[in-house]
């Protein structure tokens, strides 16, 4: 069974990266690199030969997830079938790489046996504290109350007949959607029982289907492959799972990782690609905005929680791109910026963001079927309040266009992962190399694609076009 994840996850303070290490499974925990200045804790742009790792799994770590309510708490799942919970203390990064500095590995604060098989994905609940979902090699999703794991999972979501490829909660956490290698998309109410409330056929290919909830739009986005191995993007109604549209992206082989921003923007990053596409979503239409381009292919990617964005610089999203080659590896922060000159807060591009305060605790979540009222934070004032309305914005005052959104990357080298540590392998190298992008006259390496990017008509998918050559020739 092959699991494919994003290899990295981010809180507002730390980044976790699946790490290749000898003697068992591990992952790295690093202070967040930033495109806007010096990294916290004086994190060196070239990491030391030996860094502290989160060790504890007896087999490779497959996925990590940060608590949305505590930026220092992260969960990990691995091939050993265990889930471990870790609490990061900021003093553990004091004195990095200084003389006589001795790295001390992180220790888990909780460990439990979650499956007799592998744990492929872990995901914290977006509104209930201490609730965690895990996808297992038993082809089920288990929902845990981390305060009471001795009694087993509180909910088991079944019906999958093959590997679960991805999962995501809706913004309130009342529903959960999965994609599976059996080509089906399933919608669950974790508090109503273990059977899917909706099941539909997804993408025609069995390889790497991913899913992301598109905020409060009432839509779900999936990426996958057609029978002809074309990469696809599909939009689904979140209530009925009716297919709204399916678009053909290209014919590359890498899995496409989808990410949603409540600015109404959908980001697509292909594994093995150097580019990141982004689209504005409006009234079931996807408008290509631009494309971040790079010659370095990404192995994985994650995005920063919106409450941690640099609103003063009109940064509406920040990605962390993981690259590895035979000679080096990097973690590259990429800021997506609306280039406006304004002294005041730009409310039309910064809707309230999910806050650090949970709406309910685990006991309340599992005991009640009531709607969950989310807690959100105003990115201008920092005040937290209850929100019953949608967070997703209507289109901004000045619509996004291919020349109004740019990507900013650091002018100094990003922190590195080991030279030959092919993520997921069993070896660890202590050799590093580094390179830096060429800065522009403005002091930042800014990539604006308004002059070179030319939006092309997005190709609509149809069943008639998804037929293999043999079928066209009547061989089958």
């Amino acid at each position: 069974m092959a699991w494919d994840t994003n290899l990295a996850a981010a809180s507002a303070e730390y980044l976790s990266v699946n790490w290749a290490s000898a003697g068992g499974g591990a992952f790295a925990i690093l202070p967040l690199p930033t495109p806007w200045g010096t990294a916290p804790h004086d994190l060196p742009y070239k990491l030391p030969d030996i860094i502290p790792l989160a060790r504890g799994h007896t087999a490779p770590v497959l996925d990590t997830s940060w608590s949305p309510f505590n930026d220092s708490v992260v969960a990990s799942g691995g091939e050993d079938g265990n889930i471990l919970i870790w609490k990061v203390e900021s003093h553990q990064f004091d004195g990095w790489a200084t003389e006589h500095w001795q790295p001390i590995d992180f220790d888990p604060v909780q460990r439990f046996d979650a499956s007799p098989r592998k744990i492929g994905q872990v995901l914290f609940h977006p509104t209930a504290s201490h609730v965690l979902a895990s996808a297992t090699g038993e082809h089920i999703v288990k929902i845990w109350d981390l305060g009471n794991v001795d009694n087993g999972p509180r909910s088991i979501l079944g019906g999958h007949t093959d590997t679960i490829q991805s999962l995501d909660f809706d913004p309130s956490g009342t529903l959960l959607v999965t994609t599976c290698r059996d080509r089906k998309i399933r919608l669950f109410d974790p508090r109503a029982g273990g059977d899917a409330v909706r099941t539909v056929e997804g993408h025609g290919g069995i390889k790497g289907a991913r899913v992301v909830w598109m905020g409060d739009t009432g839509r779900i986005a999936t990426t996958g492959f057609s029978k002809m191995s074309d990469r696809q993007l599909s939009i689904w109604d979140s209530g009925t799972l009716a297919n709204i549209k399916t678009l053909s992206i290209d014919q590359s082989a890498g899995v496409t990782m989808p990410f949603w921003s409540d600015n109404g923007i959908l980001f697509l990053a292909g594994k093995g690609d150097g580019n990141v596409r982004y689209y504005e979503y409006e009234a079931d239409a996807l408008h290509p905005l631009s494309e971040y381009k790079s010659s370095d292919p990404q192995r994985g990617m994650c995005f920063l929680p919106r409450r941690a964005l640099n609103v003063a610089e009109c940064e509406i999203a920040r990605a962390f791109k993981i690259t590895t080659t035979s000679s080096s590896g990097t973690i590259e922060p990429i800021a997506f910026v609306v280039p406006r000159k304004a002294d005041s807060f730009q409310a039309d591009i910064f809707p309230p963001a999910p806050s650090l305060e949970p709406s309910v605790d685990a006991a309340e979540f599992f005991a009640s079927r009531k709607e969950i009222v989310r807690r959100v934070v105003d990115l201008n004032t920092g005040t937290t309040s209850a929100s019953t309305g949608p967070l997703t914005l209507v289109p901004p005052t000045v619509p996004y266009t291919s020349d109004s959104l740019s990507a900013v990357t650091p002018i100094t080298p990003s922190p590195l992962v080991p030279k030959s540590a092919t993520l997921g392998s069993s070896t660890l190298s202590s050799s590093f190399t580094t390179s830096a992008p060429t800065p522009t006259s403005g002091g930042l390496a800014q990539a604006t694609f308004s002059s070179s990017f030319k939006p092309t008509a997005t190709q609509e998918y149809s069943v008639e076009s998804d037929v293999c050559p043999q079928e066209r020739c009547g061989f089958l």
Side-chain angles (χ1 to χ4, degrees):
M1 178 190 305
W3 294 94
D4 181 81
T5 64
N6 292 352
L7 302 182
S11 73
E13 296 183 17
Y14 302 106
L15 183 75
S16 57
V17 183
N18 295 6
W19 207 263
S21 67
F27 65 98
I29 298 175
L30 302 170
L32 281 180
T34 172
W36 301 109
T38 304
H41 302 281
D42 293 321
L43 177 69
Y45 284 101
K46 181 180 179 184
L47 295 183
D49 289 348
I50 301 175
I51 67 171
L53 296 175
R55 302 182 189 270
H57 289 275
T58 58
V61 173
L62 297 177
D63 197 23
T64 57
S65 176
W66 290 89
S67 168
F69 314 117
N70 189 327
D71 289 324
S72 299
V73 173
V74 61
S76 61
E79 290 188 3
D80 56 4
N82 291 326
I83 291 176
L84 276 63
I85 308 298
W86 312 76
K87 176 72 166 63
V88 184
E89 302 293 344
S90 61
H91 66 77
Q92 292 176 272
F93 299 99
D94 293 343
W96 268 61
T98 57
E99 189 176 2
H100 307 303
W101 174 74
Q102 293 293 327
I104 300 175
D105 286 341
F106 302 93
D107 293 320
V109 296
Q110 185 178 13
R111 178 199 308 264
F112 59 96
D113 185 355
S115 173
R117 299 187 180 179
K118 301 175 183 180
I119 301 295
Q121 290 106 14
V122 288
L123 180 65
F124 271 103
H125 194 279
T127 58
S129 60
H130 305 114
V131 176
L132 183 78
S134 64
T136 79
E138 305 159 88
H139 308 329
I140 56 177
V141 176
K142 298 180 180 181
I143 312 293
W144 302 89
D145 175 355
L146 294 180
N148 187 22
V149 297
D150 292 340
N151 292 327
R154 295 295 303 270
S155 182
I156 298 178
L157 313 181
H160 308 90
T161 61
D162 209 326
T163 304
I164 298 168
Q165 295 173 322
S166 68
L167 70 164
D168 197 24
F169 283 105
D170 78 318
S172 69
T174 56
L175 298 173
L176 183 142
V177 64
T178 65
T179 58
C180 182
R181 199 170 182 269
D182 63 12
R183 304 182 181 91
K184 289 183 170 56
I185 301 170
R186 293 175 173 85
L187 187 65
F188 296 89
D189 181 343
R191 299 181 293 180
D195 295 330
V197 295
R198 296 281 189 277
T199 301
V200 298
E201 292 292 332
H203 298 273
I206 63 174
K207 182 181 177 181
R210 296 294 190 88
V211 64
V212 65
W213 215 285
M214 298 174 66
D216 297 310
T217 63
R219 299 292 182 259
I220 295 168
T222 61
T223 57
F225 293 82
S226 71
K227 294 178 183 178
M228 287 285 294
S229 296
D230 293 335
R231 290 199 294 193
Q232 295 179 323
L233 166 64
S234 292
I235 307 298
W236 310 81
D237 183 279
S238 61
T240 64
L241 286 189
N243 180 254
I244 305 299
K245 64 171 53 183
T246 295
L247 311 176
S248 294
I249 302 173
D250 56 32
Q251 294 182 322
S252 297
V255 171
T256 303
M257 300 173 284
F259 303 93
W260 172 257
S261 167
D262 283 325
N263 307 90
I265 297 178
L266 181 66
F267 295 87
L268 301 181
K271 288 197 172 186
D273 300 353
N275 63 326
V276 180
R277 297 176 173 92
Y278 35 106
Y279 303 81
E280 182 184 7
Y281 172 82
E282 181 185 2
D284 289 334
L286 286 169
H287 307 288
L289 292 176
S290 190
E291 190 170 349
Y292 168 79
K293 294 183 179 180
S294 168
S295 60
D296 298 320
Q298 55 239 3
R299 287 289 311 282
M301 184 170 287
C302 63
F303 273 66
L304 184 72
R306 280 201 311 112
R307 56 184 164 80
L309 294 172
N310 188 341
V311 296
E313 298 288 347
C314 294
E315 179 189 39
I316 64 168
R318 187 188 308 171
F320 295 95
K321 174 181 174 179
I322 311 300
T323 68
T324 58
T325 67
S326 60
S327 60
S328 67
T330 65
I331 302 168
E332 180 184 5
I334 305 169
F336 293 90
V337 172
V338 178
R340 292 183 180 178
K341 293 182 179 180
D343 296 328
S344 60
F345 178 72
Q346 303 293 291
D348 65 319
I349 58 174
F350 289 111
S355 78
L356 275 169
E357 296 182 13
S359 301
V360 295
D361 60 24
E364 292 175 291
F365 172 73
F366 289 110
S368 173
R369 292 291 307 280
K370 294 180 180 178
E371 283 295 317
I372 297 176
V373 178
R374 290 172 294 171
R375 305 289 295 174
V376 298
V377 59
D378 187 304
L379 297 182
N380 182 29
T381 64
T383 57
T384 300
S385 61
S387 172
T388 56
L391 298 188
T392 302
L393 284 178
V394 295
T397 305
V398 179
Y400 302 118
T401 64
S402 62
D403 58 356
S404 70
L405 191 59
S406 61
V408 177
T409 56
I411 64 172
T412 46
S414 303
L416 301 184
V417 297
K419 169 184 174 182
S420 60
T422 301
L423 299 184
S425 70
S426 58
T427 60
L428 177 64
S429 168
S430 59
S431 175
F432 297 85
T433 61
T434 182
S435 61
T438 303
T440 63
S441 57
L444 285 174
Q446 180 168 320
T448 304
F449 304 105
S450 57
S451 59
S452 59
F453 176 78
K454 298 179 180 179
T456 56
T458 307
Q459 180 183 351
E460 290 278 356
Y461 166 82
S462 66
V463 175
E464 289 75 14
S465 67
D466 189 15
V467 182
C468 69
Q470 292 92 335
E471 289 173 318
R472 288 197 185 101
C473 296
F475 292 157
L476 296 181

